[in-house]
Amino acid sequence: MASQPPTSFPKDQIKILLLENIHQSAVTLFKAEGFQVESVSTALKEKELVEKIRDAHVIGIRSKTQLRDLPLSEGKRLLAVGAFCIGTNQIDLDSANKRGVPVFNAPFSNTRSVAELMISEIIALSRQLGDRSSEVHQGIWKKVATGSWEVRGKTLGIVGYGHIGSQIGIIAEMLGMTVLFYDRVTKLPLGNNKPMATLPDLLANSDFVTLHVPETPQTKNMIGEDELALMKKGSYLLNASRGTVVVIPALAAAIKRGHLAGAAIDVFPEEPEANGEGFKTELQGLPNVILTPHVGGSTSEAQESIGREVATSLIRYINQGTTTGAVNFPHVDLPTEPGRITHRILNVHKNVPGVLRDINNIVSNRNANIEAQVLATDSNIGYLIMDLGQDVSEDVKLGIASLPNSIKTRILY
Ligand code: NAI
């Protein structure tokens, strides 16, 4: 029988690499756990990333770091990835999954911030606020009521009724708007929000159309010339989802010919990697067009909350193996029972027939008693958490780790 390991895997040897100026709320939580934290204020290019990732047990990024297969393949010690943002397109999720590395993001942390920005922009577009403000900045006094409207009684069409879309729907109703929504899947309508059967139905019936879909092959160029033509004359388009969803030249043309009365655009097909001058879009200089640099979710509250949410998920994974909320991994959560003295084995394996049988053989050959066991799979991998008596766990772990289909095996004392 294997001798018992003297201590737990020392927490102070766990290295957390945080890129892109991740909020202090995350650093505080990691440090409180006793982990080593290295914070870098910028994104890293692939060459530097490959160097840095070799040492890291966890890497935390935001939207600018491209975490593709090459850096992931070099992260031999990597246990998990934290996406301190909402979108995860910048990460090769499939590669991480096959390497046994769960990716955690913060799906709700900036929902409210985006929703509030959209509400403010709906009113700002309706009152041509951007134009009036820049005129006064230039010394031009142009007090007009023509083309200015209250939003009360107008119809808002929401495309993508997820976290953000549904939150906007609720707030817009409080302003007296009628709310329609269109989603790819059936969603419970909140308040008096009304589902529309098709996108054309929504476009034809809305005074304001706001987009809140993710970036997918289906949403690429979702709003182009044909869709803009379906929108009411004098209506407005808002996009704070992803830049690829709207065909910008078609939008510019619809505004120039007066079909649309304005637009608020926060996201662009190509966005600069760093702050600075020289950004160009065909929408610049057009009337009643509010342009913002992808700031929909950028508030202090959201940053603080993202830091806390993702760090908490990562800590639960490191300490307990819980993968609830991971975007690319089977979800497993096995509560620890207070007072029970067990060791926990975490195993990620290829999802092929016979793996669980092999694992259970290893356990029974050592006369070990399984106190608790949970397994979940996806098409590539299986993820198993198993609690065992302390006397045999190290031996069982070595046996499981040496199975040909095992990808990653960890033991928690
Ligand atoms: P979510 O996943 O909760 O909602 C997305 C909704 O779109 C879902 O209900 C989904 O069923 C629906 N959908 C997907 N494909 C569709 C299609 N082809 N047609 C119609 N509906 C479709 O996401 P959440 O949190 O509401 O965020 C939406 C998007 O907003 C994110 O994917 C992200 O790209 C963007 N975002 C932008 C921010 C900014 O700073 N501008 C900040 C946060 C998110």
Side-chain angles (χ1 to χ4, degrees):
M1 196 175 286
S3 63
Q4 228 176 284
T7 52
S8 299
F9 186 75
K11 285 191 172 189
D12 62 4
Q13 284 182 23
I14 293 192
K15 291 189 180 159
I16 316 266
L17 172 64
L18 300 178
L19 307 181
E20 303 187 60
N21 221 0
I22 285 165
H23 198 274
Q24 192 59 31
S25 60
V27 177
T28 306
L29 285 172
F30 288 133
K31 288 204 168 152
E33 287 292 322
F35 303 152
Q36 293 178 34
V37 183
E38 182 184 351
S39 294
V40 177
S41 62
T42 58
L44 296 180
K45 296 265 183 251
E46 190 167 81
K47 200 163 162 262
E48 280 173 292
L49 191 57
V50 162
E51 285 298 313
K52 281 247 169 229
I53 206 170
R54 289 194 180 124
D55 247 12
H57 294 99
V58 170
I59 181 165
I61 62 166
R62 291 171 66 192
S63 54
K64 298 267 184 285
T65 304
Q66 295 296 315
L67 203 50
R68 302 287 165 210
D69 187 55
L70 176 61
L72 286 168
S73 70
E74 292 294 324
K76 300 276 186 270
R77 298 175 165 189
L78 204 59
L79 298 176
V81 172
F84 287 78
C85 48
I86 307 267
T88 49
N89 291 337
Q90 72 282 31
I91 302 168
D92 186 337
L93 295 177
D94 196 49
S95 162
N97 163 286
K98 287 180 180 150
R99 296 177 190 286
V101 176
V103 176
F104 297 93
N105 69 342
F108 329 108
S109 293
N110 62 11
T111 301
R112 177 70 188 202
S113 302
V114 181
E116 287 189 11
L117 182 74
M118 304 328 286
I119 295 291
S120 77
E121 290 184 337
I122 288 166
I123 299 175
L125 287 174
S126 213
R127 301 295 293 273
Q128 302 180 337
L129 217 56
D131 290 1
R132 289 301 87 76
S133 171
S134 61
E135 285 155 11
V136 177
H137 274 285
Q138 296 163 52
I140 302 165
W141 192 262
K142 187 177 163 193
K143 180 175 156 77
V144 286
T146 317
S148 279
W149 312 92
E150 292 184 354
V151 299
R152 176 173 50 171
K154 306 298 184 299
T155 300
L156 171 64
I158 300 169
V159 183
Y161 198 64
H163 297 124
I164 298 171
S166 56
Q167 178 88 198
I168 293 171
I170 292 290
I171 307 175
E173 271 186 1
M174 293 188 225
L175 291 170
M177 300 187 84
T178 298
V179 177
L180 311 176
F181 68 86
Y182 167 72
D183 201 286
R184 184 177 59 92
V185 296
T186 307
K187 294 275 174 149
L188 172 73
L190 302 181
N192 297 314
N193 293 188
K194 195 171 157 223
M196 301 304 276
T198 66
L199 179 61
D201 284 345
L202 178 130
L203 296 174
N205 288 291
S206 302
D207 299 305
F208 297 83
V209 172
T210 187
L211 308 173
H212 300 287
V213 289
E215 183 175 55
T216 65
Q218 292 75 36
T219 62
K220 189 173 166 61
N221 299 337
M222 192 181 197
I223 304 294
E225 195 182 339
D226 294 348
E227 290 73 23
L228 291 163
L230 290 175
M231 287 175 66
K232 284 183 176 181
K233 184 166 168 53
S235 61
Y236 309 83
L237 181 74
L238 299 95
N239 185 21
S241 61
R242 283 292 181 263
T244 51
V245 179
V246 175
V247 182
I248 297 288
L251 173 62
I255 291 167
K256 279 183 196 155
R257 68 171 193 275
H259 182 63
L260 291 198
I265 303 297
D266 187 45
V267 287
F268 299 85
E270 275 164 34
E271 297 179 1
E273 281 191 12
N275 288 346
E277 293 181 8
F279 178 68
K280 293 233 176 342
T281 163
E282 283 182 54
L283 299 168
Q284 278 156 342
L286 296 183
N288 205 24
V289 172
I290 299 171
L291 301 177
T292 45
H294 203 143
V295 292
S298 304
T299 62
S300 296
E301 288 89 343
Q303 292 311 313
E304 204 271 337
S305 156
I306 288 172
R308 223 176 333 103
E309 188 178 339
V310 180
T312 303
S313 299
L314 290 166
I315 290 166
R316 289 187 73 209
Y317 178 66
I318 295 169
N319 290 349
Q320 287 143 45
T322 306
T323 50
T324 311
V327 290
N328 66 336
F329 226 71
H331 288 184
V332 175
D333 181 9
L334 182 60
T336 38
E337 272 189 55
R340 262 201 163 167
I341 304 167
T342 52
H343 286 169
R344 173 163 285 192
I345 293 175
L346 312 173
N347 169 259
V348 186
H349 52 262
K350 289 184 196 151
N351 186 7
V352 291
V355 177
L356 198 57
R357 183 200 54 215
D358 293 346
I359 290 175
N360 285 335
N361 280 344
I362 290 170
V363 176
S364 58
N365 288 345
R366 281 146 179 96
N367 270 336
N369 189 29
I370 298 177
E371 305 276 343
Q373 189 181 35
V374 197
L375 168 77
T377 59
D378 63 21
S379 53
N380 298 322
I381 59 166
Y383 176 47
L384 173 80
I385 303 186
M386 186 161 57
D387 287 348
L388 292 174
Q390 292 190 335
D391 48 347
V392 288
S393 55
E394 180 67 15
D395 199 20
V396 171
K397 182 212 143 182
L398 293 175
I400 293 176
S402 64
L403 287 174
N405 288 312
S406 275
I407 299 169
K408 260 195 165 69
T409 307
R410 234 170 13 116
I411 189 163
L412 305 177
Y413 307 122

